[in-house]
Amino acid sequence: MKLKELAERLGCELSGDPDLDIHGIATIDEAGPNELTFLTNPRYSRKLATTRAGAVLLSSSSPAAPLPSLRCGDPHRALARALALFYEPPPRLPGVHPTAIVGDGAKLGEGVSVGPYVVIGERAEIGDGSVLHPHVVVYPDVKIGKNFVAHAGAVIRERVVIGDNVVVHAGVVLGSDGFGFVPVAGSHPLKIPQTGSVKVEDDVEIGANSTVDRATVGATVLGAGAKLDNLVMIGHGSKVGEDSLLAGQVGLAGSTVVGRRVMMGGQAGAAGHLTIGDGVQVAAKSGIANSLEPGAVVGGYPAIEASLWRRAVAAFPKLPDLLRRVRQLELGGPEKRSAET
Amino acid sequence: MKLKELAERLGCELSGDPDLDIHGIATIDEAGPNELTFLTNPRYSRKLATTRAGAVLLSSSSPAAPLPSLRCGDPHRALARALALFYEPPPRLPGVHPTAIVGDGAKLGEGVSVGPYVVIGERAEIGDGSVLHPHVVVYPDVKIGKNFVAHAGAVIRERVVIGDNVVVHAGVVLGSDGFGFVPVAGSHPLKIPQTGSVKVEDDVEIGANSTVDRATVGATVLGAGAKLDNLVMIGHGSKVGEDSLLAGQVGLAGSTVVGRRVMMGGQAGAAGHLTIGDGVQVAAKSGIANSLEPGAVVGGYPAIEASLWRRAVAAFPKLPDLLRRVRQLELGGPEKRSAET
Amino acid sequence: MKLKELAERLGCELSGDPDLDIHGIATIDEAGPNELTFLTNPRYSRKLATTRAGAVLLSSSSPAAPLPSLRCGDPHRALARALALFYEPPPRLPGVHPTAIVGDGAKLGEGVSVGPYVVIGERAEIGDGSVLHPHVVVYPDVKIGKNFVAHAGAVIRERVVIGDNVVVHAGVVLGSDGFGFVPVAGSHPLKIPQTGSVKVEDDVEIGANSTVDRATVGATVLGAGAKLDNLVMIGHGSKVGEDSLLAGQVGLAGSTVVGRRVMMGGQAGAAGHLTIGDGVQVAAKSGIANSLEPGAVVGGYPAIEASLWRRAVAAFPKLPDLLRRVRQLELGGPEKRSAET
């Protein structure tokens, strides 16, 4: 594709040779003379001087670049579009593979692709245009909307309800039993039956090997547009608000309510029975021990206001020296006192 | 079911309309006029004033409730029973599905249910009443007791030994190789063959996508009644004591011995070659770096006595200010001294 | 096997009865009179006095042992060899199981073992001597070298490239979508298509249920000889250097470059877009927030130099008392002043 055509399709301002052929997109380190690279993280701007890329996609507000460029008001959106132009998703096999097992009373929508060895339980419903890759297992009585994509080995337990345009990656487990056990003197812990379910709203995406437990009663809910990374754990009865982003290995204990547009960094966790307000931002590895007001920005464990946390962790390595200095001050008192006497 | 019948079955004291029809159980926020709710966490007691529930199950010692109630000496046990009354577990398919592959010499007990595409290795033994959901893979020479339940995609590696009444959720891996590598100068790390196994005792339950590695020699052991949540990692040669509860994303490095009735909060971890005494309680996200006496209650990383840890983390945000104050005191000395001169 | 034969095969110095029969290898607590035990961790040396083992394998530099011994210059290597002598790996089924599905244009090398219900996509290539255990799913256009071993349920997404002698344990997912979403006002987060791939070099081993995301563009890379434990998460575009060891539940955010021979302890994590130098050692549970020079040894979160971190965490429990002492010092000033007046 010519650079000028790319500029038009992406709605970006072109500077440089309009007839440059672009064959693909690559990182600033790896791009060659017929590839477009991109600068969405200013950390890498010094690399513009040395990149071999044919052209660069960057923000309208970026300084001038020493190579042909596409300047875009929203460079992330332009990059997403550009990538889609050159990306070929894994092919969808048409129809239901002869080895797939579809239970009695199950309903498959129009154009559903069901891969080898998929097992669909009785009375399960799967909406139009969905793709079930090989080895997906759908338990009975599951209800799934349109354009569902499930990668290999994903497991959807009984009675889980899933909206439209949901993507679950390989190894995801939705609707496993919540962790409900009560210690009992003189006996093994008592299991609380987990009779509820999981509800996944529209446009949710769930990363590989993540697990979402079903509620004791009612439903664990992933709100519309929420995105979960890999190896995330959502405890029973928790609710993740719309458009929230949970990075890799995040964990939510049970019955915690996460607001809309919350962002949790990797390996962060939240205790149970909390309310995390809309728009909260949580630093990676933080542990949320208390409910948080909307818009809070927190870090550490237990998580505190982020700028305070940053100052405190910056002071932390000085703690041994501080101990020594206070001891000195304490000794200095008596010394002085003895000098005073 | 009438409320009075429910009271009788649960052994709870009824107050309010005995003929109220109860159709199910729901959370205090979601319950309707023909549903029973429950109050097992006092955090929610204020919600009794506004719940639409028909009745509430609570502790004998709770204050009076403004709606019909079932008062129970052990409300958790009563709730577990009540949930079981209304809960329909996923159906067990009778017999061995024609697509299941059962290796030579494998033995299946009475009434075993083997789902589609299950693979059972040679000489494996599976006890009476067990249920293997679709896509479970049992390697050769595994021995499993009665009433085993394995959800879709669980993998049991060769020679693993499992007791009676064990439940493994979807995606669980038992008996994967321990992480035994030794750095070698001038070559790739040396793999220590992991020749041991995993032994899971009776009444253990293991959450979705958790992994239990087999030992280098001997066995990694999960004691009777131990319960593991999702995405838990048990390193090679570790032992989890009877009735211990390990919450989501907990990790044990190798050769660590966890006592009985230990409780580890979510995302907590323990270093290798430690002994954690009976009844130890570990706060979420804590990291255990040293062996712990029985009954210890710890938090933080490295984990310290919990009340001390709580006081220290409460003081932590004051650290930057403390630095400033000590600097002031140090400056104050000379100032005062100069004033004194 | 006679102890003298074992000594010869392992190249170790024998002391004690050369004709002792050794039937296997066991831990120092569990070994019986016809078993060899080993002492590779000095923590357990006091157990030599009480072990029932027939003989012990230990370092040439260890003190005298009260039982027959094999003294070896490199006891880890000798142990690895000894274990291999007594270890029988899970049998490889010959050929392609009739239930395996091999896509059009796929190429299987000499002696490849393909288990029941394995699915191999179109045009995938799998090298000589590889073993695919039951239920492995290989998407189209994957390229895999010789002697690959994949345990049950592992998933290799489209276009992933894998070198020789790679082992992936059960439930591993290679090539899942990177977590690329950009918040958008008034709409769901925007997905950045993940058009890149994963490249796994020779002699890599990946633990159960770990996940390696494919890059947005280019490739996520695991360098030759790198070893990952279970439930590890490698974010899109990250690179793990040769021979690095990542323990259980470690997480790397995106675009982080980890050097060679790096060791990361369990549950450690690294933020994105960092460079971690060769030979860096990271304590368990640490969080790396900034790039690290080669050879750095770090701990804590944010990770700092390890010995400093150890001193700081040792001082941490004294923080509440320190606050009290500083308050006292501050009060001491006025008191003294009033005494002075």
Side-chain angles (χ1 to χ4, degrees):
Chain A
M1 192 179 299
K2 301 291 184 195
L3 191 57
K4 70 180 166 196
E5 185 187 345
L6 200 51
E8 279 162 22
R9 289 221 200 180
L10 303 179
C12 298
E13 185 188 347
L14 167 68
S15 116
D17 178 7
D19 292 321
L20 180 68
D21 271 317
I22 297 292
H23 303 154
I25 302 177
T27 64
I28 202 158
D29 285 332
E30 293 165 348
N34 289 100
E35 287 176 311
L36 175 73
T37 191
F38 50 93
L39 186 70
T40 51
N41 187 331
R43 185 190 293 250
Y44 299 117
S45 51
R46 60 182 169 76
K47 296 197 174 189
L48 284 179
T50 55
T51 183
R52 295 174 53 248
V56 62
L57 182 161
L58 35 61
S59 163
S60 303
S61 60
S62 294
L67 70 167
S69 66
L70 301 181
R71 297 182 160 273
C72 316
D74 183 341
H76 279 112
R77 183 178 290 265
L79 175 59
R81 279 196 202 141
L83 287 166
L85 287 176
F86 290 99
Y87 176 54
E88 192 180 341
R92 54 187 306 153
L93 305 167
V96 178
H97 195 274
T99 62
I101 294 175
V102 181
D104 289 348
K107 293 180 192 162
L108 306 186
E110 296 270 311
V112 169
S113 162
V114 180
Y117 301 125
V118 166
V119 176
I120 298 175
E122 299 177 355
R123 297 169 302 280
E125 301 178 11
I126 297 176
D128 297 350
S130 295
V131 179
L132 277 60
H133 286 277
H135 286 243
V136 168
V137 177
V138 176
Y139 278 56
D141 301 304
V142 166
K143 285 195 178 9
I144 300 177
K146 297 178 185 175
N147 303 318
F148 179 61
V149 176
H151 281 282
V155 174
I156 319 292
R157 288 279 305 269
E158 68 275 11
R159 296 194 317 274
V160 166
V161 175
I162 297 178
D164 294 339
N165 311 315
V166 168
V167 177
V168 300
H169 287 281
V172 162
V173 178
L174 300 184
S176 39
D177 281 26
F179 192 62
F181 295 96
V182 180
V184 177
S187 174
H188 295 318
L190 175 70
K191 179 170 174 95
I192 307 289
Q194 302 294 305
T195 69
S197 187
V198 169
K199 185 180 178 196
V200 179
E201 297 181 354
D202 297 346
D203 300 299
V204 167
E205 185 160 339
I206 305 175
N209 282 349
S210 286
T211 67
V212 181
D213 277 354
R214 70 178 192 270
T216 310
V217 295
T220 306
V221 178
L222 303 184
K227 312 292 183 184
L228 278 55
D229 199 352
N230 299 358
L231 294 168
V232 168
M233 157 63 182
I234 305 295
H236 55 167
S238 286
K239 298 187 196 305
V240 175
E242 293 180 21
D243 302 331
S244 287
L245 299 173
L246 276 53
Q249 298 173 320
V250 158
L252 300 185
S255 301
T256 278
V257 178
V258 174
R260 299 176 178 206
R261 295 179 175 270
V262 168
M263 299 179 72
M264 293 182 71
Q267 299 184 335
H273 299 278
L274 305 182
T275 299
I276 298 174
D278 292 349
V280 165
Q281 296 186 28
V282 182
K285 277 191 112 64
S286 301
I288 303 174
N290 299 291
S291 292
L292 293 170
E293 293 296 310
V297 181
V298 301
Y301 176 52
I304 56 177
E305 197 274 321
S307 64
L308 181 56
W309 170 65
R310 254 181 241 113
R311 286 201 306 277
V313 296
F316 183 60
K318 300 172 187 159
L319 187 53
D321 189 52
L322 191 67
L323 268 177
R324 193 190 51 69
R325 286 160 63 191
V326 169
R327 211 172 298 127
Q328 190 58 42
L329 282 166
E330 288 169 336
L331 290 172
E335 263 171 29
K336 277 199 297 183
R337 240 174 268 137
S338 66
E340 281 160 26
T341 55
Chain B
M1 193 180 298
K2 300 291 184 195
L3 191 57
K4 69 179 169 196
E5 184 187 345
L6 200 51
E8 279 161 22
R9 289 220 198 180
L10 304 179
C12 298
E13 186 188 345
L14 166 68
S15 118
D17 178 6
D19 291 322
L20 180 68
D21 272 318
I22 297 294
H23 302 155
I25 302 179
T27 63
I28 202 158
D29 283 334
E30 293 165 350
N34 289 101
E35 287 177 312
L36 176 72
T37 191
F38 49 94
L39 185 70
T40 51
N41 187 332
R43 185 190 292 249
Y44 298 117
S45 51
R46 61 184 168 76
K47 296 198 173 188
L48 285 179
T50 54
T51 183
R52 294 173 54 250
V56 62
L57 182 161
L58 35 61
S59 163
S60 303
S61 60
S62 293
L67 70 167
S69 66
L70 301 180
R71 296 182 161 273
C72 315
D74 183 341
H76 279 112
R77 184 179 290 265
L79 174 60
R81 278 195 203 142
L83 287 166
L85 288 176
F86 290 100
Y87 176 54
E88 194 179 339
R92 54 189 306 153
L93 305 167
V96 178
H97 195 274
T99 62
I101 294 175
V102 180
D104 290 348
K107 292 180 192 163
L108 305 186
E110 297 270 313
V112 168
S113 162
V114 179
Y117 301 124
V118 167
V119 176
I120 299 175
E122 300 176 357
R123 298 168 302 280
E125 300 178 13
I126 297 176
D128 298 349
S130 294
V131 179
L132 277 62
H133 285 276
H135 286 244
V136 168
V137 176
V138 177
Y139 278 56
D141 301 303
V142 167
K143 284 194 178 11
I144 300 177
K146 297 178 184 173
N147 303 319
F148 178 61
V149 176
H151 281 282
V155 174
I156 321 290
R157 288 279 305 270
E158 67 276 12
R159 297 193 317 275
V160 167
V161 176
I162 297 179
D164 295 338
N165 311 315
V166 168
V167 177
V168 300
H169 287 281
V172 163
V173 179
L174 300 184
S176 38
D177 280 27
F179 192 63
F181 295 96
V182 179
V184 177
S187 173
H188 295 319
L190 174 70
K191 180 172 173 92
I192 307 288
Q194 302 293 305
T195 70
S197 187
V198 169
K199 185 181 178 196
V200 179
E201 297 181 354
D202 298 345
D203 300 298
V204 166
E205 185 160 339
I206 305 175
N209 282 347
S210 287
T211 67
V212 182
D213 276 354
R214 69 178 194 271
T216 310
V217 294
T220 307
V221 178
L222 303 184
K227 313 292 184 185
L228 278 56
D229 198 352
N230 299 359
L231 294 168
V232 168
M233 157 63 182
I234 306 294
H236 55 165
S238 286
K239 298 187 196 305
V240 176
E242 294 179 19
D243 302 331
S244 287
L245 299 174
L246 275 54
Q249 298 173 321
V250 158
L252 300 185
S255 301
T256 279
V257 178
V258 174
R260 299 175 177 207
R261 295 179 176 271
V262 168
M263 299 179 73
M264 294 181 72
Q267 299 183 336
H273 300 277
L274 304 182
T275 299
I276 298 175
D278 293 348
V280 165
Q281 296 186 28
V282 182
K285 278 191 112 65
S286 301
I288 303 174
N290 298 291
S291 292
L292 293 171
E293 294 295 311
V297 181
V298 301
Y301 176 52
I304 57 177
E305 198 274 321
S307 64
L308 181 57
W309 170 65
R310 255 181 240 111
R311 285 200 306 277
V313 296
F316 183 60
K318 298 171 187 161
L319 187 53
D321 188 52
L322 191 67
L323 268 176
R324 193 190 50 70
R325 286 159 63 190
V326 169
R327 211 173 297 127
Q328 189 58 42
L329 281 166
E330 289 168 337
L331 291 172
E335 264 172 31
K336 276 200 297 183
R337 239 175 267 136
S338 68
E340 280 161 25
T341 54
Chain C
M1 191 181 299
K2 300 291 183 194
L3 190 56
K4 69 179 168 197
E5 185 187 345
L6 200 52
E8 280 161 22
R9 290 221 200 179
L10 304 179
C12 297
E13 185 188 347
L14 166 68
S15 117
D17 178 7
D19 292 322
L20 180 69
D21 272 318
I22 296 294
H23 302 155
I25 301 177
T27 63
I28 202 158
D29 284 334
E30 292 166 348
N34 290 100
E35 287 177 311
L36 176 73
T37 190
F38 49 93
L39 186 69
T40 51
N41 187 330
R43 185 190 293 249
Y44 298 118
S45 52
R46 60 182 170 77
K47 296 197 173 189
L48 284 179
T50 54
T51 182
R52 292 173 56 247
V56 63
L57 183 161
L58 35 62
S59 163
S60 303
S61 61
S62 293
L67 71 167
S69 66
L70 301 180
R71 295 181 162 275
C72 315
D74 184 340
H76 279 113
R77 183 178 291 264
L79 174 61
R81 277 196 203 141
L83 288 165
L85 287 176
F86 291 99
Y87 176 54
E88 193 180 341
R92 54 188 306 153
L93 305 168
V96 178
H97 194 275
T99 62
I101 294 174
V102 180
D104 290 348
K107 293 180 191 163
L108 306 186
E110 297 270 311
V112 168
S113 162
V114 179
Y117 301 124
V118 166
V119 176
I120 298 175
E122 299 177 356
R123 297 168 302 280
E125 302 178 11
I126 297 176
D128 297 349
S130 294
V131 179
L132 276 62
H133 285 276
H135 285 243
V136 168
V137 177
V138 176
Y139 278 55
D141 300 304
V142 166
K143 286 195 177 10
I144 301 178
K146 298 178 183 173
N147 303 318
F148 178 62
V149 176
H151 281 281
V155 174
I156 320 291
R157 289 278 306 268
E158 68 276 10
R159 297 194 317 274
V160 167
V161 176
I162 297 178
D164 295 338
N165 312 314
V166 168
V167 177
V168 300
H169 287 280
V172 162
V173 178
L174 300 184
S176 38
D177 280 26
F179 192 63
F181 295 96
V182 179
V184 177
S187 175
H188 295 318
L190 175 69
K191 179 171 175 93
I192 308 288
Q194 302 294 305
T195 69
S197 186
V198 169
K199 185 181 178 196
V200 179
E201 298 181 353
D202 298 345
D203 301 298
V204 166
E205 185 160 339
I206 305 175
N209 282 348
S210 287
T211 67
V212 181
D213 277 354
R214 69 179 194 271
T216 310
V217 294
T220 306
V221 179
L222 304 183
K227 313 291 184 184
L228 278 55
D229 199 352
N230 300 358
L231 294 168
V232 168
M233 157 64 181
I234 306 295
H236 55 167
S238 286
K239 299 189 195 303
V240 175
E242 294 180 20
D243 302 330
S244 287
L245 299 174
L246 275 54
Q249 297 173 321
V250 158
L252 300 185
S255 301
T256 278
V257 178
V258 174
R260 298 176 178 207
R261 294 177 177 270
V262 168
M263 299 179 73
M264 293 182 71
Q267 299 183 335
H273 299 278
L274 305 182
T275 300
I276 298 175
D278 293 348
V280 164
Q281 295 185 28
V282 182
K285 277 191 112 65
S286 301
I288 303 174
N290 298 291
S291 293
L292 294 171
E293 293 297 311
V297 181
V298 301
Y301 176 54
I304 56 177
E305 197 274 321
S307 65
L308 181 57
W309 170 65
R310 255 183 240 112
R311 286 200 306 278
V313 296
F316 183 60
K318 299 171 186 160
L319 187 53
D321 189 53
L322 191 67
L323 269 176
R324 193 190 49 71
R325 287 159 63 190
V326 170
R327 210 172 299 126
Q328 189 59 42
L329 282 165
E330 289 168 338
L331 290 172
E335 264 171 31
K336 276 199 297 183
R337 240 175 267 135
S338 68
E340 282 160 23
T341 55

